């Protein structure tokens, strides 16, 4: 089994970064992996934790974006913050510069903890893996991909996005074709759940 790039000489953990585009099915793939007993780290949850009151990330975000992005109880209103950053590339970059280093540090810490527990395989879901320059954290990168029409349809039905809103959210990420070109493995999600699970099982079998 390959060694973790940033680990010690005796590391035997295989760290896989799972990414893709918005609404391509990354979370579904993670549920499949979890059901199979494979540890999965959700970087979105880590990003949310980095925004919690009392953290350095929270204080920096409030200082940068103002108290207008807070709920009455003082927590960050992620919907309000998202509306700002997805309408303004400079604001989005500013938020990423605050959050990404915190998330990277937490991922590294969790991988180290998994290593100490003797885990053999850990998957980390990182929607903005390439955008944040995190590829070097992992031994392999898997990209969950789907046709553009399917992606837009899911954003419309799942999130209630207008066509314009969906296009803006898609455009905020590196094109899927570029991500596929950098992937060690592409997991296609253009059909149903059974086909997707088969794709995941094939990807896991390729590691043996």
């Amino acid at each position: 089994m390959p060694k973790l790039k940033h680990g010690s000489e005796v590391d035997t953990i295989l760290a896989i970064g799972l990414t893709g585009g918005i609404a391509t099915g990354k979370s579904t793939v993670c549920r499949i992996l979890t059901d199979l007993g494979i540890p999965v780290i959700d970087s979105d949850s880590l990003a949310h934790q980095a925004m919690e009151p009392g953290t350095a990330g929270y204080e920096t975000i409030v200082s940068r974006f103002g108290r207008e992005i807070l709920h009455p109880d003082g927590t960050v209103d992620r919907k309000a913050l998202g509306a700002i950053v997805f309408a303004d590339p400079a604001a989005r970059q500013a938020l990423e510069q605050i959050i990404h280093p915190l998330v990277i540090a937490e991922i590294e810490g969790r991988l180290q903890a998994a290593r100490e527990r003797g885990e053999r395989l850990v998957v980390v879901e990182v929607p903005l893996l390439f955008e944040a320059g995190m590829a070097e954290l992992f031994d392999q990168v898997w990209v969950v991909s789907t046709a553009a029409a399917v992606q837009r349809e899911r954003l419309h039905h799942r999130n209630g996005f207008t066509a314009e809103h969906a296009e803006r959210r898609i455009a905020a990420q590196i094109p899927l074709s570029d991500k596929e070109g950098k992937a060690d493995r592409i997991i296609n999600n253009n059909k149903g759940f059974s086909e997707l699970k088969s794709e995941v099982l094939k990807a896991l079998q390729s590691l043996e």
Side-chain angles (χ1 to χ4, degrees), residues 14-22 24-34 38-44 103 107 111 121-132 134-145 173 176 179-180 182-189 196 199-201 203-204 207:
L14 180 66
I16 294 175
L18 181 75
T19 191
I22 186 171
T24 57
K26 299 181 298 297
S27 296
T28 304
V29 171
C30 287
R31 285 197 297 273
I32 292 170
L33 291 167
T34 299
I38 296 168
V40 176
I41 298 169
D42 178 5
S43 70
D44 271 350
V103 171
I107 288 172
L111 288 176
L121 172 65
V122 178
V123 176
V124 186
E125 181 188 2
V126 190
L128 299 180
L129 185 148
F130 292 115
E131 290 86 343
M134 296 187 192
E136 288 302 313
L137 291 176
F138 307 106
D139 296 294
Q140 290 190 15
V141 173
W142 292 1
V143 170
V144 185
S145 186
Q173 299 182 350
L176 264 176
K179 294 183 179 183
E180 289 175 352
K182 299 177 181 179
D184 295 290
R185 182 87 187 191
I186 298 170
I187 298 175
N188 291 303
N189 184 23
L196 178 60
E199 285 276 311
V200 174
L201 291 173
L204 291 172
L207 302 176

Side-chain angles (χ1 to χ4, degrees), residues 8-208:
S8 68
E9 290 294 328
V10 297
D11 286 337
T12 56
I13 190 173
L14 180 66
I16 294 175
L18 181 75
T19 191
I22 186 171
T24 57
K26 299 181 298 297
S27 296
T28 304
V29 171
C30 287
R31 285 197 297 273
I32 292 170
L33 291 167
T34 299
D35 288 345
L36 292 170
I38 296 168
V40 176
I41 298 169
D42 178 5
S43 70
D44 271 350
S45 294
L46 302 183
H48 296 166
Q49 291 172 23
M51 297 183 188
E52 290 180 355
T55 65
Y58 174 88
E59 298 299 334
T60 307
I61 288 170
V62 174
S63 175
R64 170 61 177 79
F65 294 97
R67 302 195 67 81
E68 294 79 9
I69 53 94
L70 299 180
H71 287 295
D73 65 359
T75 58
V76 173
D77 182 342
R78 293 196 298 271
K79 186 175 181 179
L81 181 58
I84 293 171
V85 301
F86 282 105
D88 180 356
R92 184 172 68 250
Q93 184 178 32
L95 179 63
E96 291 172 351
Q97 288 175 343
I98 295 169
I99 294 298
H100 287 171
L102 300 174
V103 171
I104 289 171
E106 187 65 25
I107 288 172
E108 290 179 327
R110 297 202 178 201
L111 288 176
Q112 176 61 30
R115 185 181 307 123
E116 293 171 355
R117 291 194 304 270
E119 299 285 2
R120 301 284 291 173
L121 172 65
V122 178
V123 176
V124 186
E125 181 188 2
V126 190
L128 299 180
L129 185 148
F130 292 115
E131 290 86 343
M134 296 187 192
E136 288 302 313
L137 291 176
F138 307 106
D139 296 294
Q140 290 190 15
V141 173
W142 292 1
V143 170
V144 185
S145 186
T146 191
V150 176
Q151 194 178 14
R152 295 186 186 96
E153 183 180 357
R154 287 176 183 159
L155 283 172
H156 174 67
H157 291 289
R158 184 191 71 183
N159 300 84
F161 288 175
T162 63
E164 180 183 359
H165 191 184
E167 290 297 337
R168 192 185 314 132
R169 294 298 291 266
I170 293 171
Q173 299 182 350
I174 293 174
L176 264 176
S177 58
D178 291 356
K179 294 183 179 183
E180 289 175 352
K182 299 177 181 179
D184 295 290
R185 182 87 187 191
I186 298 170
I187 298 175
N188 291 303
N189 184 23
N190 287 313
K191 299 180 182 179
F193 179 82
S194 296
E195 290 81 359
L196 178 60
K197 185 173 182 179
S198 178
E199 285 276 311
V200 174
L201 291 173
K202 289 177 183 177
L204 291 172
Q205 289 167 1
S206 72
L207 302 176
E208 297 177 356

